[in-house]
Amino acid sequence: MPQEKSAGAIIYRVKDGQPHYLLLHYHGGHWEFARGHFEQGEDELKTVRREVKEETGIQDLQIIPGFKGHSKFVFKRTWGLSLEDKKKAPWTMKIVTLYLAKTKTEAVKISHEHKGFGWFSFDDAVKKLPKDAKKVFRKAHEFLISRKSIN
């Protein structure tokens, strides 16, 4: 099975003393974090900053030290394929390295890759995420809450 690697961020901002997490609504119907492929010469953090800026317009990203998680899932790359070719598309294993990051930016400018976005409390965000993303999201939230201050 082919493998792909990408990097992204579980982004939060503080509202009324609580973290609210940014989720992007993908055209496939699911909600997820900002993430994307590496470009030549990039390390994980450069990829994270570039992808977040491209997908959300957010530039004041503060990576929170001490957290790094992974999400894994399988998918078929079927965008733009005929129905017959969709059936033949190979399954691919995707491994996404996710960092926890803070922003003060509320306004988001989504890219063409998404059809919407939202800032959600932990409880609301975990309800929207696909199964493979919930585990790393819970770990990130627990890490954040265990810190003395989220601000």
Side-chain angles (χ1 to χ4, degrees), residues 2-16:
Q3 252 190 30
E4 283 187 14
K5 292 184 178 182
S6 62
I10 299 169
I11 302 168
Y12 76 96
R13 67 182 182 85
V14 178
K15 179 181 174 188
D16 300 326

Side-chain angles (χ1 to χ4, degrees), residues 60-75:
D60 69 332
L61 204 63
Q62 176 190 350
I63 304 295
I64 305 301
F67 182 85
K68 182 176 173 179
H70 297 88
S71 175
K72 298 177 185 178
F73 58 94
V74 293
F75 73 101

Side-chain angles (χ1 to χ4, degrees), residues 6-36:
S6 62
I10 299 169
I11 302 168
Y12 76 96
R13 67 182 182 85
V14 178
K15 179 181 174 188
D16 300 326
Q18 295 297 314
H20 282 70
Y21 297 94
L22 177 62
L23 298 182
L24 301 177
H25 197 186
Y26 285 76
H27 289 288
H30 66 287
W31 291 81
E32 258 278 11
F33 310 112
R35 58 185 161 92

